[in-house]
Amino acid sequence: DGGITQSPKYLFRKEGQNVTLSCEQNLNHDAMYWYRQDPGQGLRLIYYSQIVNDFQKGDIAEGYSVSREKKESFPLTVTSAQKNPTAFYLCASTPDRSHGYTFGSGTRLTVV
Amino acid sequence: GENVEQHPSTLSVQEGDSAVIKCTYSDSASNYFPWYKQELGKRPQLIIDIRSNVGEKKDQRIAVTLNKTAKHFSLHITETQPEDSAVYFCAATGNQFYFGTGTSLTVIP
């Protein structure tokens, strides 16, 4: 998947349940990002990390949490506090802001 | 922070015609402007980019122009083909990438 792998591809969450989406990259990129995409909509930034052990909230961080314990990994947890989590989630990485993102293939999360 | 506006939101062209998508940005410090193509259900993929020290860049049927003074940049697709049908996103870099809201392009055979 072009060096950045998201899993699973499809995920179903029950009401009140926390779920974690995986994002792994072998591109040696410092910066990693999580975006949410709703049908017919653009990309909204959830969280981003520019270096290991550091991350910042994006525009819609409420109900989500992340960690960056390793350079290669940036998992996203969708908590029960996120009331409308059904969406397509995209992880991306870049070596720096003067280069484009490489996106993962996405995880489609559905609440059942 | 940066604010990126993208127009139009939808665009339909006849096969063989040209398509133009325009974006404006607000932060004069932005210096890198990529364009992404997203096919239905798939991830966005970088198709072309331009840096602030360049006014125009071409790659086969795709070109991007940048006007730093006016703070706008445009994507031009010539001789459109049905496989060009997708959603296109522009972006500008400040402290992070700021994306436009996307343009759904349909090329009619």
Side-chain angles (χ1 to χ4, degrees):
Chain A
D1 276 342
I4 182 165
T5 302
Q6 287 186 244
S7 62
K9 189 172 183 178
Y10 299 97
L11 185 58
F12 298 90
R13 192 194 92 166
K14 295 181 180 179
E15 294 283 351
Q17 189 179 45
N18 291 357
V19 291
T20 297
L21 283 59
S22 172
C23 179
E24 303 277 335
Q25 54 100 358
N26 61 4
L27 300 167
N28 200 34
H29 287 174
D30 285 318
M32 297 186 74
Y33 304 78
W34 274 106
Y35 285 88
R36 169 178 172 146
Q37 189 174 34
D38 293 283
Q41 302 296 312
L43 299 164
R44 293 190 289 168
L45 182 64
I46 305 172
Y47 267 99
Y48 64 103
S49 169
Q50 295 181 317
I51 197 168
V52 174
N53 292 322
D54 187 45
F55 49 83
Q56 284 78 42
K57 293 182 178 179
D59 300 320
I60 56 165
E62 186 173 352
Y64 300 96
S65 65
V66 293
S67 63
R68 188 85 185 276
E69 297 177 1
K70 298 186 300 181
K71 189 175 186 177
E72 302 79 19
S73 178
F74 191 40
L76 173 74
T77 297
V78 184
T79 74
S80 57
Q82 172 49 242
K83 298 306 179 186
N84 185 24
T86 295
F88 188 48
Y89 290 86
L90 285 160
C91 179
S93 70
T94 183
D96 55 54
R97 291 192 298 274
S98 65
H99 292 81
Y101 283 168
T102 298
F103 282 92
S105 55
T107 293
R108 194 167 298 280
L109 174 62
T110 304
V111 174
V112 295
Chain B
E2 177 66 276
N3 180 40
V4 178
E5 295 189 358
Q6 182 172 347
H7 301 281
S9 58
T10 60
L11 179 60
S12 292
V13 299
Q14 292 289 332
E15 182 178 358
D17 287 350
S18 295
V20 180
I21 303 170
K22 299 181 179 181
C23 288
T24 61
Y25 62 99
S26 59
D27 187 353
S28 57
S30 291
N31 58 9
Y32 176 66
F33 307 91
W35 285 89
Y36 294 86
K37 175 183 180 182
Q38 186 179 27
E39 297 177 355
L40 189 63
K42 296 188 177 180
R43 61 179 141 179
Q45 294 199 308
L46 179 68
I47 55 172
I48 195 167
D49 56 13
I50 191 167
R51 303 182 192 281
S52 59
N53 58 348
V54 175
E56 183 176 4
K57 183 177 180 180
K58 289 184 180 180
D59 183 3
Q60 299 182 337
R61 297 185 296 107
I62 295 174
V64 58
T65 58
L66 171 65
N67 183 326
K68 286 181 59 181
T69 303
K71 297 195 187 70
H72 66 71
F73 55 112
S74 300
L75 178 70
H76 305 254
I77 306 174
T78 59
E79 301 173 17
T80 53
Q81 301 169 2
E83 52 264 38
D84 294 329
S85 296
V87 177
Y88 292 82
F89 292 97
C90 64
T93 56
N95 290 324
Q96 55 178 273
F97 277 79
Y98 296 88
F99 284 90
T101 50
T103 296
S104 178
L105 172 65
T106 302
V107 179
I108 304 165

